[in-house]
Amino acid sequence: MTPTIRQYAENDLEDLLTSWEKATRLAHPFLEEDFLKSERHNIPNVYMPIADTWVADIDGKVVGFIALIGNEVGAIFLDPEYHGMGIGKSLMDKAQELHGVLEVEVFKENPIGRKFYAAYGFEHLSESVHEATNQNVLRLKFTPK
């Protein structure tokens, strides 16, 4: 099942938020409910207006997305039912096609995300504390070979 990678449209929002929430709850069990509720509000109201967002569409249903702010991967989330099918790689390939060098932050306690970024070829730059959650985050960089 090959997704269509296309620019986000307003009517994609509910599917996008559903994908985000399923993936977030799987990869980030350590995040507080209040933070998740706040982020669900911030996605359409704060982040989406400033991001270049691309979605993975399968038969008219958005199953994942990548949001870019310049060459920064602000978010990449995929409905867990579709993990392991190359869809996340297709989204990242679109970002790499658009920007070449990419950077991202991932929670240190997120083994799913860390494994994905390592497999794609991201390399460790630094570690810091994410103020809103008090969790450690790793800053990673992808440079095309």
Side-chain angles (χ1 to χ4, degrees):
M1 133 182 14
T2 304
T4 299
I5 305 301
R6 63 170 174 78
Q7 197 99 48
Y8 166 82
E10 261 183 59
N11 63 347
D12 296 329
L13 183 60
E14 282 310 308
D15 283 350
L16 182 147
L17 288 172
T18 298
S19 295
W20 169 81
E21 187 160 359
K22 286 180 177 179
T24 293
R25 290 186 182 281
L26 177 66
H28 308 118
F30 49 86
L31 294 177
E32 301 284 333
E33 201 60 38
D34 284 349
F35 178 75
L36 295 178
K37 185 177 177 183
S38 171
E39 287 298 275
R40 187 176 176 94
H41 170 81
N42 289 340
I43 289 169
N45 297 299
V46 177
Y47 306 133
M48 300 292 288
I50 62 169
D52 178 24
T53 303
W54 295 79
V55 298
D57 179 317
I58 296 178
D59 298 327
K61 179 184 178 193
V62 170
V63 299
F65 70 99
I66 189 166
L68 306 167
I69 301 168
N71 75 327
E72 177 83 14
V73 177
I76 181 170
F77 290 93
L78 182 63
D79 183 321
E81 291 177 40
Y82 296 89
H83 283 184
M85 298 179 182
I87 298 170
K89 181 183 181 308
S90 294
L91 287 164
M92 194 62 75
D93 287 349
K94 172 51 87 173
Q96 199 263 312
E97 171 191 316
L98 292 168
H99 296 284
V101 174
L102 300 169
E103 291 195 20
V104 68
E105 284 189 346
V106 61
F107 285 109
K108 190 173 184 178
E109 297 300 316
N110 173 358
I112 296 168
R114 290 180 60 189
K115 181 180 175 187
F116 171 78
Y117 294 124
Y120 197 84
F122 279 80
E123 295 178 350
H124 182 268
L125 287 179
S126 63
E127 185 171 337
S128 61
V129 174
H130 183 253
E131 286 186 31
T133 62
N134 207 31
Q135 294 284 325
N136 285 2
V137 291
L138 304 176
R139 183 138 193 94
L140 309 175
K141 183 175 185 175
F142 173 81
T143 306
K145 303 283 184 238

